[in-house]
Amino acid sequence: ELERVGRPAAGLVLLDTPWPDDLNGGVLTALAREFMRREDNGPSDARFGTWLSTVGAYIRLMDNWEPQRHNVRTALVRATDNLPDETSTQGVRVRWRLPHDVVDVPGDHFTMVDEHAETTAKALDTWIDNLR
């Protein structure tokens, strides 16, 4: 929209964002399993409710939407550790189908913005510096 009104963004950053169609495949299942596994005694009702609401909102936003090509440079900041998946020995890793730069960072979908947040921020800073 910013591009359409003549005020394009300098860049677009996707933090381990799956392509919308991939949510119907192994990505959403892998995320749910990993979320549940990380909770020692199962998630608290409040924490699980928050996560479930967030995922539901994300799915509704992505339902019947397909990203369009644009002229804004895009970075897919992608976790290097694949999420475990029962159907693949390699696990699940996000992908993006439009042109983009890949910025691989340590960790998985959850830890890249938690215990690896500083490394993720530095990698993103480097990408942003290269936009200039």
Side-chain angles (χ1 to χ4, degrees):
E1 180 62 17
L2 290 172
E3 190 175 59
R4 187 186 68 75
V5 298
R7 304 211 22 115
L12 170 65
V13 175
L14 306 168
L15 292 175
D16 211 47
T17 305
W19 187 260
D21 289 349
D22 292 345
L23 287 173
N24 296 327
V27 173
L28 187 57
T29 302
L31 286 171
R33 281 193 183 112
E34 188 61 14
F35 175 80
M36 298 297 279
R37 187 192 69 74
R38 288 172 187 270
E39 300 293 320
D40 292 334
N41 299 313
S44 68
D45 288 344
R47 188 164 158 85
F48 183 68
T50 300
W51 182 83
L52 198 55
S53 295
T54 302
V55 170
Y58 189 79
I59 290 170
R60 283 190 304 278
L61 281 171
M62 300 300 150
D63 193 32
N64 298 315
W65 175 73
E66 186 166 330
Q68 301 298 307
R69 286 190 175 272
H70 52 76
N71 294 317
V72 176
R73 193 157 159 205
T74 301
L76 174 61
V77 181
R78 187 176 64 175
T80 55
D81 296 342
N82 298 349
L83 290 173
D85 180 38
E86 293 178 355
T87 62
S88 168
T89 57
Q90 296 178 353
V92 174
R93 193 169 202 195
V94 300
R95 61 192 176 129
W96 198 250
R97 295 182 186 159
L98 293 176
H100 63 280
D101 301 323
V102 173
V103 179
D104 282 331
V105 296
D108 62 30
H109 183 82
F110 297 95
T111 63
M112 66 182 271
V113 293
D114 189 6
E115 60 235 44
H116 298 292
E118 185 173 341
T119 306
T120 299
K122 285 179 181 176
L124 190 50
D125 280 345
T126 299
W127 183 81
I128 290 169
D129 286 345
N130 287 327
L131 287 176
R132 298 184 180 123

